[in-house]
Amino acid sequence: MAFRLDLVNVPIAFRIAVSIALAAAQPAAAQSLIYSDSSTREKLQSKLGVGVDGELSLQAGVTMIGEDGVTRVLPRVTSEWSGLEFLDVGTVLSYEDLNAAGGAAEPGMDTTIALSSDLGVLDGIEGKFRRSGTAADDTLKVNFAELDTDLALFGGDAFGVDADVVMHSAGEARRTTSNIVSSWGVGRALDVETVVSLQDGMAGGSSHRAVSTSFVYESPVVFVDKLEGAVKRSPDGVRQSLGLRFTEFSSGDSSGSSFSISSRAIVEEMLEPDGAERLSMGVETRLSNVLPTLLGGSSSLSLRIDRELNEIETQTSTLAYDHAWSPGAASIGLNLKLLRGLDEEVEPSMGVTWSARF
């Protein structure tokens, strides 16, 4: 399968954006060249990009995906500006597919504006605005300053409250969400967080409420590091989970090589509004620095198994190996993965990432 890119059909807006990104590459700015490949047996996928880091950061790249005899070409230009202490602006210009039949559609433009505030009540304002053809999608989030109190239980973290209001509009649809987050500690070992979300302006003018509570308990047991739990109640049902993070084990020798083992397990139950119940469990183990230092870089090997405990039990598993090198100003990453799905077939994949700074 070969990639194909018709340069004649490349829109002028994208060519201008790339030219600006390259022209901004001054000697004082850090410049980078990035290549990555994440192809699988059924799909070819690679990305090539250039970037300039500084007060104004620019990145331009193109991702090519070949699948079922069709090649998609996805250009993307990203800019980030933080010239003022209280203002950050980011934009993303992207095309869905330059090789689409009938020519490429109008590009999508995403703009993010973050404004911080030193006012006593207001912490900051974040705006996300998307324009794509005739569609518009805007989100405005107002973050209020955190309310700290001196109310503490048995020497734990003091009770605190965060609040924000999110206003979202997509075409004629409007939605407002208010979130109130409270956190507090019971002694030195237990931290509890509660989130209350209120939504107005949904379809039909109805309002919805969701409440979720989570906790983290620092376990006194030697082989258990933390006990984590969560309960969320929403119009979609009730989701409950309980997880264990086991104590990390590490070892080293005189030559400087070392490795560590970390693992976690989680059980999750979902009760849907119609009374249906779904139960699942998962375990994950990660070994870091599993190879000797003679090979250089850092490595990790991870295994994750998920099982659905319903009338018909199903299981999926993922075995992944990651290795990263940093020779000089370059960075090289290798990812190997084996995914076993519900159909019992094993799907291998390999990813390679390379970047260099000049």
Side-chain angles (χ1 to χ4, degrees), residues 157-192:
D157 294 335
F159 179 77
V161 178
D162 275 328
D164 62 66
V165 175
V166 181
M167 292 163 281
H168 179 257
S169 64
E172 298 297 328
R174 301 288 188 273
R175 183 176 71 244
T176 301
T177 304
S178 302
N179 301 295
I180 301 175
V181 183
S182 62
S183 59
W184 50 285
V186 181
R188 300 294 183 181
L190 179 62
D191 292 317
V192 181

Side-chain angles (χ1 to χ4, degrees), residues 106-235:
E106 290 295 324
M109 174 72 78
D110 292 88
T111 303
T112 302
I113 301 175
L115 179 65
S116 59
S117 171
D118 294 331
L119 299 177
V121 178
L122 193 63
D123 186 53
I125 300 175
E126 301 176 9
K128 296 183 179 179
F129 313 96
R130 177 172 177 79
R131 297 293 183 271
S132 178
T134 58
D137 193 310
D138 301 329
T139 301
L140 183 65
K141 181 179 181 181
V142 180
N143 296 306
F144 297 98
E146 182 179 1
L147 174 63
D148 293 323
T149 69
D150 294 329
L151 179 60
L153 296 177
F154 309 110
D157 294 335
F159 179 77
V161 178
D162 275 328
D164 62 66
V165 175
V166 181
M167 292 163 281
H168 179 257
S169 64
E172 298 297 328
R174 301 288 188 273
R175 183 176 71 244
T176 301
T177 304
S178 302
N179 301 295
I180 301 175
V181 183
S182 62
S183 59
W184 50 285
V186 181
R188 300 294 183 181
L190 179 62
D191 292 317
V192 181
E193 181 180 273
T194 301
V195 181
V196 179
S197 298
L198 304 175
Q199 288 188 355
D200 294 316
M202 303 292 288
S206 59
S207 300
H208 296 278
R209 182 182 66 178
V211 180
S212 62
T213 301
S214 61
F215 72 87
V216 177
Y217 176 67
E218 303 283 347
S219 172
V221 182
V222 176
F223 59 88
V224 177
D225 182 30
K226 295 179 181 179
L227 177 65
E228 302 171 329
V231 178
K232 181 177 181 180
R233 300 178 182 273
S234 69

